[in-house]
Amino acid sequence: METYPIEIGGVTRHVPLHEPFPGVRLPLVEFLGDIEFVRAVANELVNKVPEDTDLIVTAETSPIPLAHELAAARDLSYIVARKRRRPYMVDPLIQEVESLTLGAGEVLWLDRRYTERILNKNVVLVMDVVASGGTMQALERLVHRAGGKVAARLAGFHQGNGAEGIETVAELPML
């Protein structure tokens, strides 16, 4: 399998290249299970979390470890918007994701008990990789609808032009 090298904070990973569309190959960053790599990326982002941050919000699944590390480093809580409805959810907020890179429609679900924790809070949004920015925009709409204020938008990496207004550690190429 062909790979692409990524070096962050002295940690190097050779991530696989995948082809989501014919003729387009992208490095596949996967944070799940790679504590050393996640910590290296979190260490690069932690100083970009504003001092007045109350809460971190992310989407499942891959960005969860990064949100966890940032929250732990700043002694904050975090909330995860789910990608499908869970049986325990009561009156959830639902937000469609407009993303060209996913290749399929997606919806984010936020249980009402979490929306109450967001109300009147300064929130930092965290993603693993931002390409079109659609998932980040959907997260932002969820936070606004829950009555929170977005204090910052952070991501480990960005690809393409969808990262305007988002602080990232590094750019990943489209090969």
Side-chain angles (χ1 to χ4, degrees), residues 107-152:
V107 175
L108 295 178
W109 298 79
L110 192 62
D111 193 1
R112 183 62 61 180
R113 65 191 164 113
Y114 293 133
T115 64
E116 294 167 0
R117 290 178 50 202
I118 292 172
L119 182 63
N120 298 319
K121 301 292 189 212
N122 289 324
V123 175
V124 170
L125 305 178
V126 174
M127 291 299 299
D128 53 348
V129 178
V130 173
S132 69
T135 304
M136 184 71 81
Q137 291 169 1
L139 278 176
E140 185 161 358
R141 285 191 294 274
L142 272 177
V143 167
H144 287 153
R145 290 174 57 207
K149 177 185 171 205
V150 174

Side-chain angles (χ1 to χ4, degrees), residues 45-169:
L45 286 174
V46 71
N47 292 330
K48 297 176 185 199
V49 176
E51 289 298 320
D52 64 347
T53 299
D54 299 307
L55 186 66
I56 291 174
V57 174
T58 193
E60 67 180 6
T61 300
S62 186
I64 293 172
L66 181 58
H68 181 94
E69 284 295 321
L70 288 170
R74 294 296 302 275
D75 198 26
L76 298 167
S77 294
Y78 67 96
I79 292 173
V80 178
R82 306 302 294 260
K83 291 186 178 177
R84 62 186 171 133
R85 186 175 185 149
R86 304 297 177 170
Y88 58 77
M89 290 182 175
V90 176
D91 192 25
L93 283 181
I94 304 162
Q95 185 62 57
E96 290 186 23
V97 176
E98 297 172 20
S99 175
L100 299 175
T101 57
L102 293 173
E106 196 166 63
V107 175
L108 295 178
W109 298 79
L110 192 62
D111 193 1
R112 183 62 61 180
R113 65 191 164 113
Y114 293 133
T115 64
E116 294 167 0
R117 290 178 50 202
I118 292 172
L119 182 63
N120 298 319
K121 301 292 189 212
N122 289 324
V123 175
V124 170
L125 305 178
V126 174
M127 291 299 299
D128 53 348
V129 178
V130 173
S132 69
T135 304
M136 184 71 81
Q137 291 169 1
L139 278 176
E140 185 161 358
R141 285 191 294 274
L142 272 177
V143 167
H144 287 153
R145 290 174 57 207
K149 177 185 171 205
V150 174
R153 295 157 199 84
L154 307 178
F157 303 95
H158 71 275
Q159 293 173 316
N161 302 329
E164 188 174 324
I166 302 169
E167 296 276 348
T168 63
V169 174

